[in-house]
Amino acid sequence: MEFEKLVEGFAAKVNEPGLRPDDDGAVTIENDRVCITVQDVPELGKVMMHCALGESPAENAAALERKMLEANFMYRGTAGATLSRDGETGRYYLCRCDDIAAMDVEGFCALIESFLELAATWRHVCEDVLSAVRAEPKAAAVDKGADLAGLIRV
């Protein structure tokens, strides 16, 4: 089905008759928790969804990135989407790309609804990790001459 028809069907379902793709073939959909972009990628026969989740923490980004990598493994925590970090901006994103050819309005609407939920969940995870990082006391500097055996966990 054509992207415009899918968007039209979604717009009718959510009672937003003015919702239409922009000149780049994208629509922005917001709820009270997140804002996602749904984009037509006609050269690939795909529809792509993405959502900015937040900024990289200045300190200890490893905690959040570890959670994201674990969630990406076999899509266990992402329902087919991918979590990533933009190297230029440092922002974290949730993205997914699906074939549009066999998609109907009902499936498109369900995909958007589940992506909105997933994005809200991951936005919450990012906020939790960032607030925990801000609340943690600064780690003491390690004496380079200290015995490191006591610092290693196996």
Side-chain angles (χ1 to χ4, degrees):
M1 184 175 273
E2 292 181 17
F3 184 71
E4 292 80 12
K5 295 287 185 196
L6 294 170
V7 171
E8 186 179 299
F10 176 79
K13 181 178 181 189
V14 298
N15 199 25
E16 289 287 338
L19 185 65
R20 303 230 187 298
D22 64 16
D23 292 340
D24 294 323
V27 292
T28 301
I29 300 168
E30 294 182 59
N31 63 16
D32 58 337
R33 298 177 292 170
V34 291
C35 175
I36 67 170
T37 300
V38 183
Q39 174 118 26
D40 187 19
V41 188
E43 62 274 12
L44 299 177
K46 305 275 187 186
V47 61
M48 180 174 38
M49 298 182 192
H50 56 89
C51 175
L53 299 174
E55 304 292 326
S56 177
E59 297 177 22
N60 200 11
L64 181 54
E65 291 172 6
R66 181 175 44 256
K67 281 184 180 287
M68 290 179 163
L69 279 172
E70 290 169 356
N72 278 339
F73 179 69
M74 310 261 315
Y75 301 112
R76 287 183 178 160
T78 63
T82 303
L83 293 157
S84 58
R85 181 173 179 248
D86 182 331
E88 291 180 23
T89 66
R91 286 187 193 102
Y92 294 106
Y93 285 88
L94 178 69
C95 307
R96 78 172 291 140
C97 202
D98 294 278
D99 290 326
I100 198 169
M103 199 175 289
D104 61 9
V105 172
E106 186 176 312
F108 184 69
C109 292
L111 193 60
I112 289 172
E113 289 169 12
S114 67
F115 192 79
L116 282 165
E117 284 299 314
L118 185 65
T121 297
W122 276 101
R123 167 83 49 84
H124 185 71
V125 169
C126 289
E127 289 169 355
D128 282 355
V129 170
L130 292 176
S131 60
V133 166
R134 289 185 192 112
E136 286 178 3
K138 301 284 184 210
V142 175
D143 178 3
K144 291 184 181 182
D147 178 15
L148 294 179
L151 300 174
I152 299 173
R153 281 185 270 175
V154 180

